[in-house]
Every structure is written in structure tokens, then in C-alpha cells.
């Protein structure tokens, strides 16, 4: 079993930046693809970004392309989400998740373990 703990959320003005971190327990972190999702009040959870096992391939949702970057540090069992040029519509609870699939999963059903989430609020 994998435990995930997100951190780095907070309140930021539009145009600002935040870096989210997701620390994973266990020795098998490098065998998982990792993803970030978000859920705004009254909305369904949506895919944000994913990174494959080696860290060499990433994929971002269209809504965050050019603004968000996902990366991983297997030595620290941590995946990051660098968020720049934040907009009020980025306000949501952000979740990280693990997947054993050898691809870049973009659907929540393809992920096995989830963190508890971290709140990101962008003011206009």
C-alpha cells in the first residue's frame, strides 16, 4: 500500500505561482506513474497532469498547458506540480495519485492510491 501526502497549497493572487509536493511512502515509488487531479466546489474531479515511471514523459491537460509543470524526484519519493500564471479558475483541491499502468493515465479510474488533497485558492 502507498500513502501519499500533498503539501504546498495556499492562497495566491492571480498571476502568481505555487509549487505543490506529494510525498509517497514505500520503496516502490519509481515503479508508479504519477498524476495530479483537481476538484473545484460543485464540479467533478478533473485531470491536470501526469508523469511516467522514468520521468521522461509528461502530459498536461489543455487548461494548464504552458503554465503547469509536473516533475518527480525518485530519490525523495516525491512528485511536484509547479504552477505558474495562476488564474482564479485554478482554484480547487489538488490531489496526487499513483498508477501501475505503463502509460500516462488521464482518468481517475486508472489510479490506485490517492492523497488527501491540498487546497489552492487564487484570488482575482
Amino acid at each position: 500500500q502507498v500513502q501519499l501526502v500533498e503539501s504546498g497549497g495556499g492562497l495566491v493572487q492571480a498571476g502568481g505561482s505555487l509549487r505543490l509536493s506529494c510525498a509517497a511512502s514505500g520503496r516502490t515509488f519509481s515503479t508508479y506513474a504519477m498524476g495530479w487531479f483537481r476538484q473545484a466546489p460543485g464540479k467533478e474531479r478533473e485531470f491536470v497532469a501526469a508523469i511516467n515511471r522514468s520521468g521522461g514523459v509528461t502530459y498536461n491537460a489543455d487548461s494548464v498547458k504552458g503554465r503547469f509543470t509536473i516533475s518527480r524526484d525518485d530519490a525523495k519519493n516525491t512528485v511536484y506540480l509547479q504552477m505558474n500564471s495562476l488564474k482564479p479558475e485554478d482554484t480547487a483541491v489538488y490531489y496526487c495519485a499513483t498508477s501501475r499502468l505503463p502509460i500516462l493515465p488521464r482518468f481517475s479510474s486508472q489510479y490506485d492510491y490517492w492523497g488527501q488533497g491540498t487546497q489552492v485558492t487564487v484570488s482575482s
Side-chain angles (χ1 to χ4, degrees):
Q1 188 170 356
V2 178
Q3 292 185 328
L4 303 172
V5 179
E6 301 98 334
S7 62
L11 174 63
V12 63
Q13 289 187 333
S17 298
L18 283 174
R19 188 176 81 155
L20 305 183
S21 299
C22 172
S25 65
R27 301 179 180 178
T28 59
F29 178 77
S30 62
T31 66
Y32 292 103
M34 299 296 297
W36 285 96
F37 287 75
R38 66 186 181 186
Q39 187 166 18
K43 295 187 177 181
E44 293 185 354
R45 187 171 299 187
E46 66 170 347
F47 170 79
V48 175
I51 188 166
N52 72 340
R53 295 169 178 175
S54 69
V57 182
T58 64
Y59 182 83
N60 287 0
D62 289 343
S63 58
V64 304
K65 279 182 180 176
R67 301 188 299 122
F68 290 12
T69 302
I70 186 172
S71 62
R72 63 189 297 160
D73 185 341
D74 288 352
K76 296 182 179 180
N77 277 15
T78 301
V79 63
Y80 303 98
L81 185 68
Q82 178 66 45
M83 306 186 295
N84 299 327
S85 302
L86 283 161
K87 305 175 181 180
E89 51 263 44
D90 295 318
T91 295
V93 177
Y94 283 71
Y95 300 89
C96 67
T98 68
S99 175
R100 288 169 288 184
L101 295 176
I103 58 173
L104 287 174
R106 287 177 282 166
F107 301 97
S108 57
S109 60
Q110 296 173 309
Y111 287 82
D112 307 300
Y113 298 104
W114 294 80
Q116 83 291 346
T118 185
Q119 176 71 48
V120 171
T121 303
V122 184
S123 63
S124 58

